[in-house]
Amino acid sequence: MEFDGGYKAVITYDPEIEMFRGEFVGLNGGADFYAKDADSLKHEGKISLDVFLRMCEEDGVSAKKPKGKFALRLDPQTYYDASVAAAAEGVSLNQWIAQTVREAVRG
């Protein structure tokens, strides 16, 4: 589910409480919300996001996670295959992985 400003939430269903749960992703902290139907979920999500953004502004911190690094562990064969694919395209392994991830998330 997407909200104003490009903020996105992943929606799941919790059968124990018979409600949908939304959790914002890519934020510099946690923000979630619950509702029984889609319209209510959008409403609750907007409230949750507004509160989170206001708190970030008051604290002087960025709402979105900063760009960062992460370690990627590959089995030896996958590492070799990815290295060969990157070399074949004339780019570093890091550049090749970053491009592959960009393509995957754009769908």
Side-chain angles (χ1 to χ4, degrees), residues 17 41 43 46 64 70 86:
I17 60 172
L41 198 63
H43 176 74
K46 182 177 180 344
K64 292 185 178 180
F70 73 98

Side-chain angles (χ1 to χ4, degrees), residues 22-33:
E23 181 177 9
F24 286 98
V25 294
L27 295 181
N28 196 15
D32 61 353
F33 50 99

Side-chain angles (χ1 to χ4, degrees), residues 1-54:
M1 182 175 282
E2 189 163 340
F3 291 82
D4 289 342
Y7 295 98
K8 295 182 181 181
V10 173
I11 309 302
T12 56
Y13 183 73
D14 187 334
E16 290 183 22
I17 60 172
E18 297 182 350
M19 294 182 84
F20 292 98
R21 176 180 185 261
E23 181 177 9
F24 286 98
V25 294
L27 295 181
N28 196 15
D32 61 353
F33 50 99
Y34 293 84
K36 290 200 178 263
D37 59 66
D39 288 337
S40 298
L41 198 63
K42 289 177 186 177
H43 176 74
E44 294 299 321
K46 182 177 180 344
I47 292 170
S48 178
L49 181 60
D50 288 346
V51 168
F52 182 82
L53 294 175
R54 187 173 56 249

Side-chain angles (χ1 to χ4, degrees), residues 54-93:
R54 187 173 56 249
M55 290 175 65
C56 287
E57 187 175 335
E58 289 172 3
D59 293 343
V61 298
S62 172
K64 292 185 178 180
K65 283 184 182 177
K67 184 172 98 171
K69 298 178 181 183
F70 73 98
L72 177 63
R73 292 172 185 84
L74 300 172
D75 63 87
Q77 187 61 51
T78 302
Y79 179 83
Y80 174 78
D81 293 342
S83 297
V84 169
E89 292 186 23
V91 297
S92 70
L93 180 58

Side-chain angles (χ1 to χ4, degrees), residues 85-102:
E89 292 186 23
V91 297
S92 70
L93 180 58
N94 186 73
Q95 290 170 318
W96 186 84
I97 290 172
Q99 179 61 37
T100 302
V101 170
R102 271 192 297 278

